[in-house]
Amino acid sequence: MAATGFRGPRQIWNAFKWSMKGLQAGWRHEASFRLEVCIAVVLVPLGLWVGNGALEKIALVLPPVLVLSAELLNSAVEAVVDKVSPEFHELAGRAKDMGSAAVFLLLAMTALTWGLILWPRWF
């Protein structure tokens, strides 16, 4: 339901708290998210260090952050599917597989971006 009232500092603070709860839930309940956070903790500072110029830094930092976002969305889809349909259903499996595929594509984009930027420089 869309908010109809004044959207001020309190609503912004509440949105921030809910986002932090989502990050905590992702960390607590999703092993894949924890692994990808560990990878991002390495890649984001490394990308800021090795990138030449602002655009290259963004190109190296953005994909790992997008992977984390997609993993959280994938986990949300999986949680809803499990809540609505605990027994196996082809559509439920398809939804989960598609969420997983989205994360995979972003992981591939991360590897490709890093490779295209750094390979010519180092080899």
Side-chain angles (χ1 to χ4, degrees), residues 30-86:
E30 298 297 329
S32 295
F33 182 71
R34 288 191 298 271
L35 176 62
E36 291 156 357
V37 166
C38 292
I39 293 169
V41 163
V42 172
L43 290 183
V44 169
L46 188 60
L48 292 172
W49 182 55
V50 301
N52 290 332
L55 290 179
E56 200 169 277
K57 289 177 190 290
I58 290 169
L60 292 171
V61 168
L62 186 60
V65 175
L66 291 175
V67 167
L68 295 176
S69 299
E71 185 63 52
L72 288 171
L73 290 171
N74 180 42
S75 297
V77 166
E78 288 180 352
V80 170
V81 165
D82 289 345
K83 169 76 172 152
V84 171
S85 177

